């Protein structure tokens, strides 16, 4: 479950962003901007744990550049993708394993 | 599967690749420039996806010298840019298997290849480093500079500078709070580094500005301080740091707790040598250059004829070195194609090589700072995860080494370390360090862990198509 007390990553104010879109995180409506990657949008929405490791340990964003494969999330009920290398789209369904 | 032929293929469109492409595209050659990211620029020159309302004041003098277009598609008569595209394999006589986003898998035949695949971040592991909330300086910088997102309202920074100080000042400029900067090196090193960095005035200026900002905001700067544990239930809640002596000994009673939910850490860089290795290029283990690097001569050619390596993969040395080497490789290729008079090439080459030496020295200084001594490895907790993909701890690795599995390839087979989805990119460099510590020397390494196609995970369906 999303930890309500955790500080989110913050979108800086002095920026003109792409079109605002809605995507879904475990079914919940979540705001993002076109041009952002899934990992950026998830962190800004307060989701830090993205999956569990082989021994069920919590994992999230580590390298942020496609090397470590820790940020894998399920996209559109299909294949797992690296959240930091995949861009958000309108209506995208992202499943994270954070229970 | 489509098949295409090029005169030169440049793998990696960071400062090095773009520098080579700029020189080569002036000549009537068929050039392909690719990058696994959706845009060119590599890590150093990532473009923001947002428009900053305030225009940045600093002009990148290297970037200003790039003459090629950087968008996907054809640039003039000679250059083709494909991003994202990932090289899955390299085969004899310069064949590349390329996976592209919209055109499936392609077979590329290229007379000359330049590998400019850059580097990835290195972290000194500690117990709990896998908790969400712990991320690398690179990850933090990408979030801030590319996506305009501050990783957290308040962050604790730790590791080996100078990137740490740079990010700290960037975070402050974005209205973020920096709890403290825990530098594992000695304060004396900071002054020593000024001497080395002074050879590159722009860097010195940049460093002083960053430091000034930190001092102005009264950000606590701690030296010879290393994070030894990260604690938290499902995400980071607390960090424990301790003083570390120059030989790597953790000083008893020097532990301090920091209540934080975001730790940004980094301790150097690792060259991405996987593709050149697959291509059969000789590697050499040189700790002054960042570990395993591609062995090149002064023309940037590797041990395989027609294959060149440039940038961080020939030695960690930053963007300036990468830029120069891209140029050197391009000039060598032009010479080999008979497009440049040898005399003129030698003069240009000599000038560039002299500059290159400066940056190699800078790199040497930094790589030494980023080294983890055997004494220090001895004190890292058994419960520390080393292979994140397979959840293998340092304790497990130690027990197998003691059983006699003290050669990298044997250790991999015994523990599964390096067999996970990241293909040993995160744990690999640590394993060499650990084994080196155990054997008492890094001079007894056989080869780098074997690299096989596909070099990055790919779906079977995409390969079959």
């Amino acid at each position: 479950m999303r930890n309500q007390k955790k500080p989110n990553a913050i979108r800086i104010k002095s920026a003109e962003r792409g079109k605002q879109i809605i995507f879904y995180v475990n079914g919940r409506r979540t705001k993002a901007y076109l041009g952002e990657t899934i990992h950026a949008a998830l962190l800004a929405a307060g989701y830090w744990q993205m999956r569990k490791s082989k021994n069920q340990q919590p994992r999230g964003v580590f390298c942020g550049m496609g090397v470590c494969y820790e940020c894998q999330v399920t996209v559109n009920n299909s294949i797992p993708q690296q959240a930091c290398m995949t861009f958000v789209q309108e209506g995208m369904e992202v499943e994270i394993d954070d229970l | 599967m489509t098949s295409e032929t090029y005169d030169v293929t440049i793998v990696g469109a960071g400062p090095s690749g773009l520098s080579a492409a700029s020189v080569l595209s002036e000549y009537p050659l068929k050039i392909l420039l690719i990058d696994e990211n959706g845009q060119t620029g590599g890590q150093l020159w990532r473009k923001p996806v947002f428009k900053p309302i305030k225009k940045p004041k600093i002009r990148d003098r290297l970037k200003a010298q790039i003459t090629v277009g950087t968008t996907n598609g054809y640039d003039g008569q000679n250059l083709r840019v494909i991003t994202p595209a990932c090289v899955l394999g390299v085969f004899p006589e310069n064949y590349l298997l390329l996976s592209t986003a919209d055109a499936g898998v392609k077979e590329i035949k290229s007379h000359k290849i330049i590998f400019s695949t850059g580097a990835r971040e290195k972290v000194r592991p500690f117990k709990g480093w896998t908790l969400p909330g712990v991320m690398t300086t690179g990850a933090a910088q990408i979030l801030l500079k590319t996506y305009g997102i501050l990783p957290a309202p308040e962050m604790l920074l730790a590791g080996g500078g100078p990137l740490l100080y740079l990010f700290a000042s960037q975070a402050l400029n974005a209205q973020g709070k920096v709890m403290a900067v825990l530098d594992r090196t000695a304060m004396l090193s900071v002054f020593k580094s000024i001497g080395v960095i002074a050879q590159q005035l722009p860097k010195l200026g940049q460093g002083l500005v960053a430091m000034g900002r930190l001092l102005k905001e009264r950000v606590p700067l701690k030296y010879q301080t290393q994070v030894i544990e990260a604690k938290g239930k499902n995400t980071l809640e607390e960090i424990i740091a301790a003083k570390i002596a120059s030989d790597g000994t953790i000083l008893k009673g020097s532990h301090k707790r920091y209540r934080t939910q975001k730790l940004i850490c980094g301790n150097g860089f690792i060259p991405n040598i996987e593709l050149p290795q697959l291509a059969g290029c000789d590697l050499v283990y040189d700790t002054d250059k960042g570990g395993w690097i591609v062995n090149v001569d002064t023309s940037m050619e590797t041990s395989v004829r027609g294959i060149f390596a440039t940038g961080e993969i020939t030695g960690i040395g930053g963007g300036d070195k990468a830029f120069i080497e891209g140029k050197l490789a391009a000039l060598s290729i032009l010479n080999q194609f008979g497009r440049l008079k040898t005399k003129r090439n030698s003069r240009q080459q000599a000038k560039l090589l002299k500059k290159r030496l400066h940056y190699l020295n800078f790199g040497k200084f930094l790589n030494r700072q980023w080294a983890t001594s055997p004494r220090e490895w001895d004190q890292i907790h058994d419960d520390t995860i080393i292979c994140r993909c397979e959840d293998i701890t340092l304790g497990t690795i130690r027990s197998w080494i003691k059983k006699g599995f003290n050669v990298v390839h044997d250790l991999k087979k015994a523990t599964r370390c390096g067999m996970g989805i990241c293909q040993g990119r995160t744990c690999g460099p640590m394993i060499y360090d650990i084994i080196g510590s155990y054997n008492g020397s890094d001079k007894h390494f056989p080869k780098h862990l074997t690299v096989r196609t596909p070099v990055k995970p790919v779906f079977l369906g995409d390969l079959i198509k």
Side-chain angles (χ1 to χ4, degrees), chain A residues 3 5-18 34-37 39-41 43-44 48-51 53-70 72 79-82 84-85 87 98-99, chain B residues 36-38 43 46 49-54 119-121 123 129-136 138-139 142-144 147-153 174 233-235 261-262 265 272 385 388-391 416 421-422 425-426 456-457 459:
Chain A
N3 184 342
K5 292 190 212 126
K6 187 187 329 311
N8 295 358
I10 302 169
R11 288 189 174 90
I12 62 175
K13 293 196 174 60
S14 57
E16 235 179 79
R17 298 179 189 272
L34 274 185
E36 289 179 347
T37 49
H39 91 300
L43 289 170
W48 287 20
Q49 182 184 333
M50 286 175 198
R51 57 182 274 269
S53 71
K54 209 172 177 191
N55 290 346
Q56 308 305 306
Q57 295 173 3
R59 296 290 165 88
V61 172
F62 178 67
C63 79
M65 53 187 264
V67 170
C68 73
Y69 287 83
E70 292 280 48
Q72 292 170 78
I79 51 182
Q81 312 244 28
Q82 291 163 298
C84 67
M85 299 288 273
F87 294 97
D98 70 341
L99 289 167
Chain B
E36 65 177 1
N37 288 298
Q43 301 308 328
R46 275 176 170 262
V49 302
F50 61 99
K51 216 160 107 185
I53 290 175
K54 227 172 47 179
R120 56 190 189 270
E121 197 150 2
V123 170
W129 67 300
T130 55
L131 276 169
V134 178
M135 61 167 59
T136 62
I142 290 167
L143 279 168
L144 187 56
Y147 301 107
I149 291 175
L150 200 62
K233 188 154 173 279
N234 289 320
T235 54
Q261 294 180 307
K262 197 104 231 170
C265 54
N272 292 329
I385 296 226
R388 295 175 66 123
C389 299
E390 299 285 313
D391 273 350
R416 279 198 63 83
I421 193 168
C422 89
R425 286 181 170 85
T426 309
K456 282 245 166 145
F459 288 100

Side-chain angles (χ1 to χ4, degrees), chain B residues 18-30:
Chain B
L18 286 169
S19 169
S22 291
V23 174
L24 290 168
S25 62
E26 305 268 293
Y27 295 80
L29 296 167
K30 207 173 161 208

